[in-house]
Amino acid sequence: MQRTFIMLKPDAVKNGHVGNILARIEKEGFKIKGMKYLQLSLNDAKQFYKVHSERPFYNDLCSYMVSGPIVAAALERDNAVSHWREIIGATDPKEAAEGTIRKLYAESKEANAVHGSDSVDNAEFEISFFFKGHELV
Ligand code: UDP
Ligand code: MG
């Protein structure tokens, strides 16, 4: 078993896709270990996306991520990290495969519905960024 960290980004919440995406999470066999509904502070967004701080999209991305509430969750499954990346599809929904979450629900390359950790190490770091040990059950 492996864990990954995901978010349903502000566009997914605003556009009413939370229920459908959670249903997909369960259908794909993920177990929910932790889940929070919250609005990020700008400091938290900047910290979370620090690896992208030199990229041209960083400031816009951070402003976008604080523009409305999100759902943050820790999910468990076999190959959780790669399986989630597979079912969310490419960063840009225009390039995402049919049936992927971003193809189905994303608005744009920035407002792309969901986050997913890109490695097992980053997943553990990102889970600990959002959850204390006792919040994971
Ligand atoms: N992003 C953006 N413009 C880009 C690339 C990325 O706005 O050209 C945003 C997008 O919301 C993406 C996030 O920055 O999900 C993190 O980028 P990354 O390359 O890690 O994409 P991901 O791992 O989310 O597919
Ligand atoms: Mg990434």
Side-chain angles (χ1 to χ4, degrees), residues 49 51-52 85 91 102 115-118 122 126:
Y49 281 113
V51 321
H52 294 309
R85 296 293 307 199
T91 306
R102 283 169 167 167
H115 169 80
S117 308
D118 61 6
N122 283 340
E126 291 174 356

Side-chain angles (χ1 to χ4, degrees), residues 30 55 83 89 98 110 112:
F30 288 100
R55 311 281 293 276
H83 189 73
E98 281 307 317
E110 178 180 77
N112 61 358

Side-chain angles (χ1 to χ4, degrees), residues 9-120:
K9 294 185 179 182
D11 63 296
V13 174
K14 181 189 75 187
N15 294 326
H17 298 311
V18 170
N20 282 328
I21 298 172
L22 293 182
R24 178 71 174 268
I25 284 169
E26 291 188 320
K27 182 173 153 277
E28 298 285 344
F30 288 100
K31 185 160 180 266
I32 297 165
K33 302 295 288 178
M35 183 172 283
K36 285 184 180 180
Y37 183 69
L38 73 148
Q39 189 155 355
L40 283 170
S41 69
L42 190 55
N43 271 349
D44 281 349
K46 285 182 169 168
Q47 187 65 26
F48 184 82
Y49 281 113
K50 202 159 90 183
V51 321
H52 294 309
S53 60
E54 302 304 317
R55 311 281 293 276
F57 59 82
Y58 177 68
N59 282 322
D60 279 352
L61 171 63
C62 292
S63 309
Y64 162 65
M65 287 301 294
V66 306
S67 67
I70 63 159
V71 177
L75 304 181
E76 186 178 74
R77 215 199 86 129
D78 60 305
N79 299 314
V81 170
S82 64
H83 189 73
W84 179 253
R85 296 293 307 199
E86 208 175 293
I87 67 166
I88 67 176
T91 306
D92 186 344
K94 290 201 223 79
E95 290 157 22
E98 281 307 317
T100 58
I101 290 173
R102 283 169 167 167
K103 178 73 172 187
L104 288 166
Y105 304 119
E107 273 184 13
S108 66
K109 189 170 187 181
E110 178 180 77
N112 61 358
V114 285
H115 169 80
S117 308
D118 61 6
S119 70
V120 175

